[in-house]
Amino acid sequence: QVQLVESGGGLVQAGGSLRLSCAASGSIFSIRDMGWYRQAPGKQRELVAAITNIGSTNYADSVKGRFTISRANAKNAVYLQMNSLRPEDTAVYYCEAAVITPATMRIGDYWGQGTQVTVSS
């Protein structure tokens, strides 16, 4: 079993900042890509930011220049620093990891439970 647990969400005023954290645990051989997704009410889930095992990053256009993704490989952790938050950033944020398990030696996607981010105007 592989578990991902997010933390750091909350209520913040427009222009404020939050830092999201996610840690993976369980039967893990290695982790390749990790990422953050979000889903707002009535909308589809969308990719916010992703980072590879060697540190290459990718961001949605809507968050470029405001959000920063990073990871700590020794902790199987990924972070999302969110600055200059806007009301349209309000959503449930989910951590995702592409994990190779020792049982199969194949890549599978695993998801966290989500953490609520609410930005007030």
Side-chain angles (χ1 to χ4, degrees):
Q1 284 276 62
V2 175
Q3 295 185 72
L4 303 181
V5 179
E6 304 103 331
S7 62
L11 174 64
V12 65
Q13 290 184 319
S17 297
L18 286 172
R19 181 177 173 85
L20 305 184
S21 299
C22 173
S25 62
S27 298
I28 298 170
F29 177 79
S30 66
I31 301 177
R32 203 157 76 170
D33 296 354
M34 303 186 81
W36 290 94
Y37 292 74
R38 66 187 181 188
Q39 187 166 20
K43 291 186 173 292
Q44 296 292 105
R45 182 188 64 187
E46 64 174 346
L47 175 68
V48 178
I51 185 167
T52 72
N53 60 313
I54 59 171
S56 298
T57 59
N58 185 42
Y59 297 93
D61 287 343
S62 60
V63 308
K64 285 181 179 176
R66 300 188 298 122
F67 292 9
T68 302
I69 189 170
S70 61
R71 64 191 290 169
N73 291 335
K75 300 178 181 179
N76 291 328
V78 63
Y79 309 95
L80 187 68
Q81 179 66 46
M82 304 186 293
N83 298 327
S84 302
L85 283 162
R86 305 166 181 168
E88 52 263 42
D89 295 318
T90 295
V92 177
Y93 284 70
Y94 297 92
C95 175
E96 182 268 344
V99 179
I100 300 174
T101 63
T104 66
M105 296 301 291
R106 299 187 68 178
I107 295 175
D109 289 337
Y110 295 85
W111 295 86
Q113 82 286 356
T115 185
Q116 177 71 47
V117 171
T118 303
V119 184
S120 63
S121 60

